[in-house]
Amino acid sequence: MPPVFPMLTVLSMFYYMCLRRRARTATRGEMNSRRAIESNTRALPINVEIVQYAKEVLDFSSHYGSENSMSYTMWNLASIPNVYPSSGDFTQTAVFRTYGTWWDHCPSARLPFKRTPTTFCSQDYVELAFEEPVYPTAVHILETYHPGAVVRILACSANPYSQNPPAEVRWEVLWSEAPTKVNGPQARQFTPSIKQISFPTNLIRLEVNSSLLDYYTELDAVVLHGVKERPVLSLKASMIDMNDIDEDEDEEKYGCGMDTLNKQLSIVALREWPSNGYFDKLPYELIQLILSHLTVPDLCRLAQTCKLLYQHCCDPLQYIHLSLQPYWARINDTSLEHLQSRCTLIQWLNLSWTGNRGAISVSGFSRFLKVCGSELVRLELSCGHFLNETCLEVITETCPNLQELNLSSCDKIPPQAFNHIAKVGSLKRLILYRTKVEQTALLSILNFCSELQHLSLGSCVMIEDYDLIASMMGAKCKKLRSLDLWRCKNITENGIAELASGCQLLEELDLGWCPTLQSSTGCFTNLARKLPNLQKLFLTANRSVCDTDIEELAANCAHLRQLDILGTRMVSPASLRKLLESCKDLSLLDVSFCSQIDNRVVLELNANFPNVFIKKSFTQ
């Protein structure tokens, strides 16, 4: 019998080579040193798991609450749970501004950008800092009301408490999934299966999509589980599995990081082919139409195949509408520089959520706009914390045709910077939600931007006299169709009267949580009589709304589609029946916490008016 030792030696060497190759290509953090790979004959000790609640809320895109309180704000996500495991509507939770699809069916709704990848469905986000950087092993999200909105969980390599700024900021997706409908509004602990990452983190980002929800989602706390040392799996667990070669690795290969995306944008090498087959016979316009369905990264990859497709993929006509929001984690100055030659004809540009933590500089943004801003009509910059006064000045100087500007939640822009917006007289839509715009700057904007049709001033806490603002709107903004005054703190019946008299084309008005408005002054009756085109009216949390107001709406606002009277104690079932009978287009009626409208009444109204979504919540 021949000796078996040489054969065992060969097999051992082959096995050793497989392990070495696995060590070089591993992307999931199974092995963290050569010693661990070469001597991995037994399971290594498991690190002690650290459990942390969020220490601080660093950033978010929106919230239901006020900037000067804790009720329904994102800041409630810091520290230990306030509500969980209880279910219901509680002010001590974190609540985003919108839910459902109602906001897509009102006059202020905006058209979506083309080329948005189907995998990106995030509508809002919140970023949470934790005390200790760890390698995450689990993330628990405590949802206390209408769960199911979270669609992505990400981890960041930057330590928000480090004194030294990182050379590179890297974001890694721990988990993602399309929005799902959860049966029932009851509380739950959501613990998705997360993937391992190659760096420790104490900065977690949740992204949500509330479009499938019947009401606002409420989050109570986030718990991060992790270990201080990078996990090392046993030999059995680290064996190569074909299932490991998944779409995440493919995504990393083709451009998950900033460097890879920038390499795709800066194409230098093209393949030489003697013929392009049938593509040479297709009309130029037809090829352009086919390529218009590709996402930006796919365009970049296709451009590397041949000169013909390079010409098509880099044609500025392919970049007339460009949304970079789905790639917010990968966009930086270099990305914008590579895109400049392709965006000379761009009309719609979405840079929302991009550029934070130094990824985009003021100079990089300015250089891009100076080359590409001349044809811009729509500019989305929501949550762009790199923006300052210089940026707004550049926008007004280089974008003479601008009609829509979104600065939602750009709360780092200094108050005096907003004066520059008054130079853009062609503006038709201006979103200043959660900004520090001051009264003087806003008066100047209203005076010179008389073409405004849509204006959002929700949660603008720096404005001292909303009556004066409303008076200026009534005098100068005759074309106004939608106005968001959510949580404006001091508007009175005088301002409402000036507004209703001057802006009679208004179709949408949000006066939610405006505590200084009282029905006894006749302000809501005046609105109903002066604004017959109203389609959406939010009087959220105004306790004084009464039957007279509802009956005036029924008599004068036949086109009403959405009405929110949450919290009133003065509306009876009889007046609601009159409203539902008169307003045939009504699709949303929120009567939550209305003391005279009990569950029996809601069931009756639902039976008689099945096309109307009637929302009713009860005080806990």
Side-chain angles (χ1 to χ4, degrees), residues 522-576:
C523 58
F524 302 135
T525 298
N526 190 31
L527 280 178
R529 293 174 178 174
K530 293 288 183 64
L531 303 178
N533 297 316
L534 272 181
Q535 297 181 28
K536 172 184 172 180
L537 178 62
F538 274 31
L539 302 175
T540 316
N542 192 298
R543 316 299 180 188
S544 68
V545 175
C546 64
D547 282 347
T548 302
D549 303 319
I550 302 302
E551 290 169 5
E552 287 289 344
L553 288 171
N556 297 286
C557 301
H559 304 295
L560 197 64
R561 296 186 176 188
Q562 300 179 25
L563 178 64
D564 185 343
I565 53 172
L566 175 149
T568 181
R569 304 183 181 93
M570 312 293 289
V571 171
S572 68
S575 64
L576 288 184

Side-chain angles (χ1 to χ4, degrees), residues 320-372:
I320 290 179
H321 293 182
L322 175 63
S323 176
L324 296 176
Q325 183 179 4
Y327 321 105
W328 61 265
R330 298 182 250 165
I331 299 300
N332 58 9
D333 282 351
T334 307
S335 310
L336 296 181
E337 185 177 346
H338 292 322
L339 283 167
Q340 279 185 18
S341 61
R342 309 177 198 184
C343 295
T344 53
L345 300 178
I346 191 168
Q347 296 177 10
W348 288 14
L349 175 63
N350 186 358
L351 286 174
S352 294
W353 301 6
T354 66
N356 298 335
R357 294 184 174 84
I360 294 180
S361 66
V362 172
S363 58
F365 175 76
S366 301
R367 285 195 301 271
F368 181 81
L369 275 197
K370 287 176 181 177
V371 174
C372 308

Side-chain angles (χ1 to χ4, degrees), residues 208-270:
V208 304
N209 181 312
S210 302
S211 61
L212 299 183
L213 301 186
D214 290 333
Y215 209 55
Y216 300 94
T217 191
E218 298 192 9
L219 310 179
D220 192 16
V222 177
V223 192
L224 174 62
H225 292 239
V227 292
K228 294 293 289 183
E229 298 296 329
R230 186 173 177 182
V232 180
L233 302 185
S234 66
L235 179 63
K236 182 181 292 186
S238 64
M239 293 292 288
I240 299 175
D241 190 336
M242 288 302 293
N243 291 327
D244 289 344
I245 309 175
D246 62 6
E247 60 183 13
D248 293 331
E249 289 186 308
D250 187 65
E251 199 173 273
E252 183 172 341
K253 177 180 178 183
Y254 289 114
C256 188
M258 280 187 182
D259 290 342
T260 313
L261 180 64
N262 289 331
K263 287 177 183 176
Q264 292 175 356
L265 293 173
S266 58
I267 301 162
V268 292
L270 299 172

Side-chain angles (χ1 to χ4, degrees), residues 134-294:
V134 294
Y135 292 91
T137 56
V139 176
H140 301 305
I141 304 170
L142 307 184
E143 303 170 285
T144 55
Y145 200 42
H146 290 277
V150 178
V151 293
R152 283 215 302 181
I153 305 174
L154 301 97
C156 185
S157 61
N159 183 344
Y161 300 119
S162 174
Q163 299 298 320
N164 302 317
E168 178 188 10
V169 177
R170 180 182 174 190
W171 287 91
E172 190 78 27
V173 177
L174 299 178
W175 169 88
S176 67
E177 193 174 282
T180 56
K181 178 80 170 180
V182 177
N183 293 325
Q186 289 76 24
R188 72 169 183 176
Q189 176 178 289
F190 180 50
T191 308
S193 178
I194 63 173
K195 77 171 187 178
Q196 293 185 8
I197 56 175
S198 59
F199 56 82
T201 184
N202 61 338
L203 177 53
I204 296 295
R205 176 177 170 124
L206 308 182
E207 294 184 358
V208 304
N209 181 312
S210 302
S211 61
L212 299 183
L213 301 186
D214 290 333
Y215 209 55
Y216 300 94
T217 191
E218 298 192 9
L219 310 179
D220 192 16
V222 177
V223 192
L224 174 62
H225 292 239
V227 292
K228 294 293 289 183
E229 298 296 329
R230 186 173 177 182
V232 180
L233 302 185
S234 66
L235 179 63
K236 182 181 292 186
S238 64
M239 293 292 288
I240 299 175
D241 190 336
M242 288 302 293
N243 291 327
D244 289 344
I245 309 175
D246 62 6
E247 60 183 13
D248 293 331
E249 289 186 308
D250 187 65
E251 199 173 273
E252 183 172 341
K253 177 180 178 183
Y254 289 114
C256 188
M258 280 187 182
D259 290 342
T260 313
L261 180 64
N262 289 331
K263 287 177 183 176
Q264 292 175 356
L265 293 173
S266 58
I267 301 162
V268 292
L270 299 172
R271 298 182 183 179
E272 295 286 346
W273 298 98
S275 170
N276 293 306
Y278 290 107
F279 262 93
D280 281 336
K281 301 179 180 179
L282 291 177
Y284 192 93
E285 294 79 5
L286 181 56
I287 299 177
Q288 286 287 95
L289 178 61
I290 294 171
L291 299 189
S292 68
H293 296 279
L294 296 179

Side-chain angles (χ1 to χ4, degrees), residues 83 85-91 93 144-146 185-187 218 593 618 620:
V83 173
S86 298
S87 297
D89 190 312
F90 291 89
T91 61
T93 57
T144 55
Y145 200 42
H146 290 277
Q186 289 76 24
E218 298 192 9
F593 307 110
F618 296 89
Q620 303 303 312

